[in-house]
Amino acid sequence: MAKDSGCCNKGPGYATPLEAMSGPRETLIYVNCVYNGTGREKPDYLATVDVDPSSSTYSRVIHRLPMPYIGDELHHSGWNACSSCHGDPLASRRFLILLSLLSSRIYVVDTLQDPRAPTLHKVVEPEDIIEKTGLAYPHTPHCLANGDVMVSFLGDKDGNAKGCGFLLLDSDFNVKGRWEKPGHSPLFGYDFWYQPRHKTMISSSWAAPYVFTKKFNIQHVAEGLYGRHLHVYSWPEGELKQIMDLGDTGLVPLELRFLHNPAKDNGFVGCGLSSNIIRFFKKPDGSWDHEVSIWEEPLKVQNWILPEMPGLITDIVISLDDRFLYLSNWFHGDVRQYNIEDLTNPRLTGQVRVGGLIQKGSPVVVEAEDGSTYQFDVPEVQGKKLRGGPQMIQLSLDGRRLYVTNSVFSNWDQQFYPELVEKGSHMLQIDVNTEEGGLAINPDFFVDFGAEPEGPSLAHEMRYPGGDCTSDIWV
């Protein structure tokens, strides 16, 4: 494992989530940017964005690290070490792990030598992964307390979901093998989160790669080709103990978050197609259960592919003090803030529109109960019309700033927001009221990935050098 050069007896991250909230303000953010699927024969790249308001380059891309191949579809990312390694003085949050959803490559980027201009450290080739594990289509990485990195995979090399599972990389990023026990693969793969004090890991479900890599077809949901399950594993043994069928109220459960307090046995998952938030929790007998926590009604619409449009919740994040949950509705175009201090009764405390399919000027309109129609007002930022809808979200450690990008996956972007593929993504910052609740677009921050030197690109996952609310796990 990489070693710190400092004199401290602590490892990376923070001892507790509340301690992390008082950490230094973020000054840089790394953004995965995609050219795959845009018609531009360019490699995807990692962008470094200046988010320090006192800097002369604030709200700009200050460095671009292109990958060595074309066609990767950079998707999610994570660190080699996080707060789960806080007790290890030899551990260092140095390497950013970039996952290529389509090529199955894993890139390891060194951010230590120059955080403003990271460099490529290693490439884990798909042939090595497939030969040793049979896995393909990586999605989510998490660092483990022992120095390993665990990665969820969505299928096999032929795109079948039955081949999905979890990969282990050692601290030098060599393929160790699969994490789950033989015969204990999930039904579908996607996100995961482990909670060591409850000896549990839970994973969520998207779809078979051969399905989601094509354009979205609602018939595939009816045919059972999209997931609606949570998978409960023993930690760290990797035994599949329970499968929770969420039914029609939990169609396509995507981003999954336990509460940050490692003693808590509750978490939430955002269900994309049914557009609700489901809370999962441990029962007295040690098994796990679930209930619908937040329900968002679909909108009756005209001039769209369906008569009703779900919000399509594509990302969620929980503040480090476990007080607020944030979600993004890619179709409806709004970001929401809920107070979850009462886990059984979340309260909507903030909402802001930053795009969507129903903004003024779109052919899609909402049909009200009285038969009239309407559309939503979406503000411009720095004179720029907001394209697409809010997708990936990342919260500052202190909970006061929420960053938003708007690309889901290049094929789906092309299907639902072709202007994103043509004109590129953008990145926003939303100011957060952490006292009573509330959200407001920061008018001084706007990163236009449509103005990139190599042409418009699609912006997806975001990470801070010092850790964040969706990569750090406490043990």
Side-chain angles (χ1 to χ4, degrees), residues 54-55 79 85 115 126 128 134 139 144 162 171 182 191 216 230 261 269 278 306 328 344 360 400 408 424 427 469 473:
S54 66
S55 170
W79 292 100
C85 302
D128 189 28
H139 189 271
L144 308 187
K162 66 179 182 179
S171 57
D191 198 15
F216 178 74
L230 297 183
N261 183 339
V269 62
I278 285 181
L306 296 172
S328 57
T344 63
K360 289 186 175 177
R400 297 182 181 277
V408 165
M427 178 178 171
C469 297
I473 292 177

Side-chain angles (χ1 to χ4, degrees), residues 13 223 273 406 455:
E223 294 171 358
L273 193 60
N406 54 1

Side-chain angles (χ1 to χ4, degrees), residues 151-168:
V151 181
S152 63
F153 276 71
L154 307 188
D156 61 18
K157 63 182 178 61
D158 298 318
N160 299 305
K162 66 179 182 179
C164 65
F166 305 92
L167 172 80
L168 286 176

Side-chain angles (χ1 to χ4, degrees), residues 20 30 62 91 98 101 124 127 129 145 223 240 272 287 294 301 309-310 338 352 436 441-442:
Y30 301 124
I62 58 174
L98 306 182
L101 183 59
V124 184
E127 293 80 10
I129 296 170
E223 294 171 358
L240 181 59
S287 65
I294 298 168
V301 295
M309 179 189 290
Y338 287 86
V352 62
E436 300 175 357
I441 297 174
N442 182 339

Side-chain angles (χ1 to χ4, degrees), residues 134 203 230 282 292 300 364 374 414 423 470:
S203 70
L230 297 183
K282 194 175 184 180
V292 175
K300 188 176 181 180
V364 184
Y374 64 92
Q414 179 66 66
K423 298 180 180 179
T470 57

Side-chain angles (χ1 to χ4, degrees), residues 204-473:
S204 59
S205 309
W206 188 9
Y210 82 88
V211 172
F212 73 72
T213 52
K214 303 171 184 176
K215 295 189 185 302
F216 178 74
N217 184 341
I218 192 65
Q219 184 60 33
H220 288 159
V221 179
E223 294 171 358
L225 299 179
Y226 280 83
R228 61 180 199 182
H229 306 88
L230 297 183
H231 308 88
V232 182
Y233 283 87
S234 61
W235 184 266
E237 295 82 10
E239 181 180 351
L240 181 59
K241 306 289 287 188
Q242 183 182 348
I243 297 177
M244 288 189 278
D245 189 339
L246 308 182
D248 290 342
T249 60
L251 295 175
V252 196
L254 298 176
E255 304 298 335
L256 179 149
R257 317 284 183 230
F258 268 102
L259 295 179
H260 294 287
N261 183 339
K264 299 295 184 181
D265 56 3
N266 278 257
F268 296 87
V269 62
C271 300
L273 193 60
S274 52
S275 290
N276 52 17
I277 302 292
I278 285 181
R279 179 175 71 95
F280 52 88
F281 52 91
K282 194 175 184 180
K283 298 195 297 184
D285 66 1
S287 65
W288 292 77
D289 205 349
H290 63 91
E291 67 177 13
V292 175
S293 180
I294 298 168
W295 182 268
E296 296 187 7
E297 293 290 340
L299 296 175
K300 188 176 181 180
V301 295
Q302 299 175 6
N303 307 321
W304 198 57
I305 59 174
L306 296 172
E308 289 189 336
M309 179 189 290
L312 201 72
I313 299 172
T314 52
D315 200 10
I316 66 171
V317 62
I318 297 174
S319 62
L320 288 175
D321 56 7
D322 292 330
R323 291 183 60 224
F324 293 105
L325 180 148
Y326 301 85
L327 64 84
S328 57
N329 281 314
W330 196 53
F331 284 167
H332 287 182
D334 60 319
V335 175
R336 297 190 182 193
Q337 175 198 52
Y338 287 86
N339 184 301
I340 57 170
E341 290 176 288
D342 180 352
L343 291 172
T344 63
N345 186 32
R347 294 183 295 108
L348 179 64
T349 49
Q351 183 179 17
V352 62
R353 296 202 174 275
V354 294
L357 290 166
I358 322 169
Q359 57 180 299
K360 289 186 175 177
S362 163
V364 184
V365 297
V366 181
E367 184 178 324
E369 291 185 1
D370 62 4
S372 63
T373 61
Y374 64 92
Q375 294 176 309
F376 298 120
D377 285 313
V378 175
E380 293 186 344
V381 179
Q382 297 185 5
K384 301 289 183 67
K385 179 182 177 182
L386 301 185
R387 302 182 289 271
Q391 208 284 100
M392 296 305 295
I393 51 179
Q394 188 56 265
L395 189 65
S396 60
L397 294 180
D398 62 10
R400 297 182 181 277
R401 291 164 301 283
L402 190 71
Y403 296 91
V404 184
T405 56
N406 54 1
S407 169
V408 165
F409 173 61
S410 61
N411 280 2
W412 289 27
D413 294 347
Q414 179 66 66
Q415 180 178 3
F416 294 106
Y417 290 109
E419 72 272 18
L420 275 184
V421 176
E422 178 187 355
K423 298 180 180 179
S425 285
H426 51 64
M427 178 178 171
L428 304 175
Q429 182 195 308
I430 296 174
D431 293 328
V432 178
N433 184 328
T434 59
E435 303 301 324
E436 300 175 357
L439 302 173
I441 297 174
N442 182 339
D444 299 322
F445 187 94
F446 184 84
V447 183
D448 187 358
F449 290 97
E452 288 291 88
E454 297 293 330
S457 65
L458 302 170
H460 195 68
E461 180 83 285
M462 299 165 282
R463 295 288 178 209
Y464 311 124
D468 49 64
C469 297
T470 57
S471 63
D472 275 40
I473 292 177

Side-chain angles (χ1 to χ4, degrees), residues 69-70 72 100 102-107 123-138 153 156-157 167 169 173-177:
Y69 299 96
I70 292 174
D72 286 316
S100 303
L102 293 186
S103 72
S104 298
R105 288 189 186 89
I106 298 177
Y107 295 107
V123 181
V124 184
E125 294 290 355
E127 293 80 10
D128 189 28
I129 296 170
I130 293 169
E131 178 184 351
K132 294 178 180 178
T133 67
L135 294 168
Y137 301 92
F153 276 71
D156 61 18
K157 63 182 178 61
L167 172 80
L169 298 173
F173 312 108
N174 300 309
V175 177
K176 292 180 68 172

